[in-house]
Amino acid sequence: MFKILKAEHLAENIILMDVEAKRVAKSCLPGQFVIIRVDEKGERVPLTIADYDREKGIITIVFQPIGASTHQLAELKAGDTILDFVGPLGRPSDLVYEDIEELKKKKILFICGGVGTAPVYPQVKWLHEHGVGADVIIGARTKNLLIYEDAMREVAENLYMCTDDGSYGFKGNGSQRLDALYEEGKSYDHCVVIGPMIMMKFTCMATKKYNIPTVVSMNPIMVDGTGMCGACRLTVGDEVKFACVDGPEFDGHKINFDEAMKRQAMYKTAEGRALLKFKE
Ligand code: FES
């Protein structure tokens, strides 16, 4: 059993939990995920690691209650326990394998949207701890949905906040903020984009325009996170990949987002899942 040490709302419908999971905290790296199961009847839910404290043995997860299992998780409070908390799973972010001195020469930008801001945080923090600066754009539909501003400000070189409705920071989305940065004379050598699928699709189109190699995290498409359900199957260039086994990070300019979004929509309903299984 894994004890919940903290449970709080970061924004409307976005919940943060600190969970005692010593073995996961000991070995996890930015970009990896865990699979949780609240109780024996619960579904397996893959959630990206949003932070870790190796000394205290704590893993932070951030999620939106969407299906039955995440709603069940959302009802738990500090002191309650989670039956399974398995990880770390998935390949860590490519950035952690690069030569630090080479990374220091690069101009790195993270563009994150909504709950996708949480998995960006450990990557920017890891870079900061290794002396590598990175700029970050955090976007959301409106002010109440922005998360991680204070924490990110501590680790980012420059932080740019934006909202679609202009209620906080720049008025516009992450791609429009990127356009504005280029107009101001900025440029980047590497970009990481994490957020809803539609946001990643359009942000990748924008980074392609500026020839910025771009990595996306395909966590939103995962269902069981084990390589068995087939939900996370992707076309990347001319290859077929599974987000949970081969990723979650991929070259954002090679992903067929339209196909991925169609699969994601199908997997939202039991009928859709049955239909996809039948077709395969
Ligand atoms: Fe089921 Fe990857 S999430 S196969």
Side-chain angles (χ1 to χ4, degrees):
M1 294 291 235
F2 297 84
K3 194 170 174 189
I4 298 169
L5 303 173
K6 181 165 92 176
E8 64 180 27
H9 273 81
L10 287 184
E12 197 189 313
N13 215 26
I14 301 181
I15 295 164
L16 174 147
M17 279 182 183
D18 279 349
V19 181
E20 199 173 50
K22 292 193 171 70
R23 273 171 50 196
V24 184
K26 205 173 164 190
S27 58
C28 70
L29 284 167
Q32 292 188 291
F33 65 93
V34 291
I35 293 182
I36 63 127
R37 206 157 58 106
V38 175
D39 58 26
E40 310 79 43
K41 290 183 190 149
E43 287 173 312
R44 303 157 68 94
V45 183
L47 293 170
T48 317
I49 293 170
D51 200 5
Y52 51 87
D53 184 325
R54 297 209 199 285
E55 277 178 24
K56 293 184 182 149
I58 298 171
I59 293 286
T60 304
I61 50 173
V62 173
F63 62 96
Q64 283 179 303
I66 296 171
S69 296
T70 38
H71 271 100
Q72 192 188 0
L73 180 63
E75 279 171 18
L76 300 181
K77 311 214 167 6
D80 291 339
T81 53
I82 296 171
L83 179 64
D84 292 331
F85 198 90
V86 181
L89 299 166
R91 297 183 50 234
S93 162
D94 283 343
L95 287 170
V96 306
Y97 296 116
E98 283 193 39
D99 182 85
I100 295 293
E101 293 313 311
E102 288 304 311
L103 274 180
K104 283 182 183 168
K105 293 179 198 156
K106 283 189 181 173
K107 283 178 276 175
I108 304 170
L109 174 68
F110 289 81
I111 306 179
C112 38
V115 73
T117 309
V120 161
Y121 175 69
Q123 299 197 34
V124 182
K125 184 177 158 190
W126 187 93
L127 290 171
H128 178 74
E129 285 168 355
H130 288 80
V132 181
D135 288 358
V136 180
I137 297 175
I138 298 180
R141 260 188 297 118
T142 189
K143 186 181 176 194
N144 296 345
L145 299 174
L146 288 167
I147 59 170
Y148 268 77
E149 180 179 3
D150 292 343
M152 201 71 89
R153 203 173 291 285
E154 299 268 309
V155 292
E157 186 102 337
N158 293 293
L159 178 63
Y160 306 101
M161 304 299 290
C162 55
T163 48
D164 293 356
D165 64 2
S167 51
Y168 192 71
F170 176 88
K171 185 178 189 309
N173 58 32
S175 323
Q176 290 164 323
R177 190 67 188 94
L178 176 67
D179 286 337
L181 286 172
Y182 266 72
E183 275 161 30
E184 289 162 22
K186 283 249 183 190
S187 64
Y188 294 96
D189 308 308
H190 183 83
C191 186
V192 177
V193 181
I194 307 183
M197 296 274 267
I198 189 79
M199 169 267 184
M200 291 198 281
K201 174 185 167 174
F202 284 102
T203 311
C204 284
M205 285 162 71
T207 60
K208 198 164 190 178
K209 187 170 75 183
Y210 298 113
N211 283 322
I212 318 169
T214 301
V215 166
V216 293
S217 176
M218 296 304 282
N219 270 41
I221 202 173
M222 289 187 205
V223 172
D224 70 351
T226 63
M228 313 234 304
C229 74
C232 69
R233 201 174 72 190
L234 299 165
T235 305
V236 186
D238 51 16
E239 291 182 287
V240 171
K241 300 275 185 191
F242 288 86
C244 65
V245 178
D246 304 313
E249 285 190 352
F250 295 97
D251 181 339
H253 295 157
K254 288 192 179 160
I255 294 224
N256 184 333
F257 279 104
D258 292 333
E259 179 197 69
M261 283 188 284
K262 234 188 224 168
R263 292 185 72 75
Q264 191 186 32
M266 294 283 277
Y267 264 86
K268 276 188 185 156
T269 65
E271 297 76 29
R273 288 197 287 272
L275 181 63
L276 274 177
K277 242 194 176 121
F278 174 72
K279 282 186 173 174
E280 283 157 5

